[in-house]
Amino acid sequence: MIEKWWHNAVVYQVYPRSFMDSNGDGIGDLNGIISKLDYLSELGVDVIWLNPVYKSPNDDNGYDISDYCDIMDEFGTMEDMENLLKEAKKRNIRILMDLVVNHTSDEHPWFIEAKKSRDSKYRDYYIWRDPVNGKEPNDLKSAFTGSAWEWSEETGQYYLHLFSKKQPDLNWENPNVRKEVWDLMNFWIDKGIGGFRIDVLDLLGKEPDNGITADGPKLHEYIREMNKNTFGGKDLLTVGECWSATPESAKIYSNPDESEISMVFQFEHILLDQIPGKEKWDLKPLDLLDLKRVLGKWQTAFNGDGWNSLFWNNHDLPRIVSRWGNDKEYRVESAKMLAILLHGMKGTPYIYQGEELGMTNIRFPSINQYKDIETLNIYKERLQKGYKEEEIMESIYAKSRDNARTPMQWNSSPNAGFTTGTPWISVNPNFKEINAESQIHNPDSIFNCYKKLIKIRKTNKTIVYGDFKMLLPEDRSVFAYERSFNGDSIRVVCNFTGQSVWCPLCDEAKKSKEILVSSYKESPESGILRPFEAIMYRI
Ligand code: NOJ
């Protein structure tokens, strides 16, 4: 397989609104990010994926863009953005922009014009339909509750919005739309960015009249055309968000012939806590055997004919330590265990801000403290449907996107050092215990475990390119696997429970010639793995 720079790269995701506020308005900003580049450089990451920073009325925190070539006022100016690119480059860090082109904001000039008249030059940039029997054209649903069709009085038609009604879907069938997208991508490529994370990539080929949203028939044609006209041949990292991805489709997206993109985010492991056919708010217990089956399948899916991304967290998902770990008694051990498990695998790892500190989910006592449109909508919808408030709040505690969006916990000063003003969303009250300052200089911290894992990836080809073999596949408590490359073998053994468990690999780990990293500072015991113990060792 031809080696690419992003094969051994580690990406760090920054949610700018919650990362670092430099001017005391309570909202994170670009200068705040610049002030923390040394922190990221210390951690050792190569790339920052920046959630949207473009002009936006913020109905969905920047995923509703009103100008692709300008910066959101709260975040700063284009000059600040150029400065961020320059300062990051000095530290060998590339910046991935979030490309949100399934939809725009309803305040984008294209939509403002399109809405005015059926004859507008921009009308066909969006998806308009006549009513059917006086109602919505069909029963497509918005991801944020309710119909995906919104009535537009001015011209007497509905428009499609798969997300909020302030996020009208672009019409990708229209060649002018595709050309506009290439132009804005090239605008950013010319500024020297490192690539794109492409929002809901799998929806771009939708055929709403046939009820098709993901994986439409022309999707791959559009991606190849985009590749040719923009990033193709430029050695950038491109990663598509594809909730519908299967190993088969991932091979098409990430084909090493480079006709499409570098890799996709697939979500099969994330969807394990969702009951098939039900909403994400209907809670389901987790089963380690499912996780082993799914991650194992993706680890062995490619034979040099595709590439994985590796992630536990992002701005849409609850904190992993609160989900597969134990965010109380064993927070430190389980956060390290989850890191070791993921970072020993094959693919490009992504770390979401605060994950490297073991930041946890939030339980705000009142719905009024929540900010996320999806959370607020489901709260209203479920109250109307007759759910009890306590039950709704339990779902929100487990699944709300705001779990990931509380401010980054830098130190134990007020508001966790995130802002000198009032933060746009409250800080998690556990910041006195969980914060960066207390971890950077502690060799046994979660931060230093991540730092070690990044270094291991940089210095071991086995971790980057080695074959993957699942060990103890039937064990319900232990997730263990081996990576091997040119005669070198590394094993990873992880206890997913809060109890000590017997494990046949412990003695081998104890005798190993080299322990690369582990979640306990004391060396392995014989026979048993301690609660949430993880060991990565060479055999
Ligand atoms: C996926 C993004 O990650 C999410 O935050 C956003 O709400 C939707 N796409 C719509 O853009």
Side-chain angles (χ1 to χ4, degrees), residues 1 28 33 42 77 114 117 174 186 191 232 270 289 302 333 354 357 385 396 413 415 444 472 483 502 518:
M1 151 165 244
I33 302 172
E42 171 74 21
T77 62
S117 139
N174 181 346
N186 287 326
K191 290 216 178 281
I270 298 296
L289 286 187
F302 309 125
E333 293 79 2
L357 307 174
K385 284 187 176 163
I396 289 175
S413 73
N415 292 318
D444 299 318
L472 314 175
R483 303 288 313 280
W502 179 81
S518 93

Side-chain angles (χ1 to χ4, degrees), residues 60 63 103 144 163 197 199-200 241 315-316 401 405:
D60 183 20
Y63 282 93
H103 44 268
F144 297 156
F163 296 90
R197 174 267 185 188
D199 192 58
V200 291
E241 183 200 20
H315 64 292
D316 293 330
R401 306 196 296 181
R405 299 178 181 184

Side-chain angles (χ1 to χ4, degrees), residues 118-373:
R118 294 195 186 199
D119 301 324
S120 158
K121 169 175 171 217
Y122 294 102
R123 183 72 175 179
D124 203 30
Y125 274 38
Y126 297 88
I127 301 171
W128 302 92
R129 294 290 182 269
D130 288 326
V132 172
N133 301 327
K135 287 214 216 59
E136 289 83 7
N138 61 30
D139 59 6
L140 273 182
K141 293 271 171 283
S142 147
F144 297 156
T145 71
S147 170
W149 298 101
E150 178 72 11
W151 180 246
S152 182
E153 198 57 57
E154 289 98 319
T155 53
Q157 281 191 313
Y158 286 94
Y159 66 86
L160 181 75
H161 62 92
L162 293 178
F163 296 90
S164 101
K165 62 181 179 201
K166 285 185 67 62
Q167 293 167 299
D169 277 56
L170 282 165
N171 175 18
W172 274 72
E173 297 265 344
N174 181 346
N176 295 330
V177 165
R178 305 204 296 274
K179 169 87 175 52
E180 298 268 16
V181 169
W182 308 333
D183 288 349
L184 72 90
M185 291 174 76
N186 287 326
F187 170 87
W188 285 102
I189 293 173
D190 292 345
K191 290 216 178 281
I193 62 162
F196 296 101
R197 174 267 185 188
I198 312 174
D199 192 58
V200 291
L201 177 63
D202 54 353
L203 301 185
L204 299 187
K206 71 185 78 73
E207 288 193 346
D209 302 315
N210 306 326
I212 298 174
T213 50
D215 292 326
K218 294 207 185 128
L219 173 63
H220 292 282
E221 178 187 320
Y222 294 156
I223 301 174
R224 284 196 286 268
E225 189 191 45
M226 172 196 275
N227 170 309
K228 278 207 193 81
N229 287 284
T230 60
F231 52 77
K234 302 201 172 116
D235 210 18
L236 301 182
L237 192 174
T238 45
V239 50
E241 183 200 20
C242 297
W243 282 81
S244 67
T246 59
E248 294 67 42
S249 68
K251 279 187 204 175
I252 305 174
Y253 288 114
S254 69
N255 189 326
D257 72 4
E258 297 185 57
S259 56
E260 296 201 7
I261 56 173
S262 318
M263 65 191 94
V264 294
F265 290 129
Q266 64 81 17
F267 290 87
E268 232 185 302
H269 59 303
I270 298 296
L271 290 169
L272 291 176
D273 66 359
Q274 205 162 312
I275 306 166
K278 293 248 187 155
E279 289 184 317
K280 80 172 194 184
W281 309 99
D282 300 311
L283 305 181
K284 169 178 174 287
L286 298 169
D287 183 341
L288 183 63
L289 286 187
D290 284 341
L291 185 70
K292 289 163 76 159
R293 178 179 48 76
V294 168
L295 289 181
K297 175 177 87 180
W298 280 89
Q299 281 296 291
T300 49
F302 309 125
N303 282 311
D305 54 355
W307 191 258
N308 263 315
S309 66
L310 303 169
F311 70 96
W312 282 129
N313 279 109
N314 68 32
H315 64 292
D316 293 330
L317 303 175
R319 295 279 181 181
I320 198 62
V321 70
S322 302
R323 192 136 149 267
W324 282 100
N326 171 327
D327 65 6
K328 301 195 172 62
E329 208 183 338
Y330 294 113
R331 187 184 62 85
V332 175
E333 293 79 2
S334 64
K336 289 187 200 170
M337 182 279 282
L338 291 162
I340 294 168
L341 181 93
L342 196 79
H343 285 252
M345 289 187 172
K346 186 171 181 170
T348 301
Y350 291 72
I351 302 169
Y352 178 70
Q353 65 185 42
E355 179 186 332
E356 78 282 16
L357 307 174
M359 276 179 62
T360 67
N361 279 354
I362 184 76
R363 291 171 76 92
F364 289 132
S366 156
I367 188 66
N368 299 328
Q369 278 171 281
Y370 284 85
K371 306 288 174 190
D372 169 35
I373 178 170

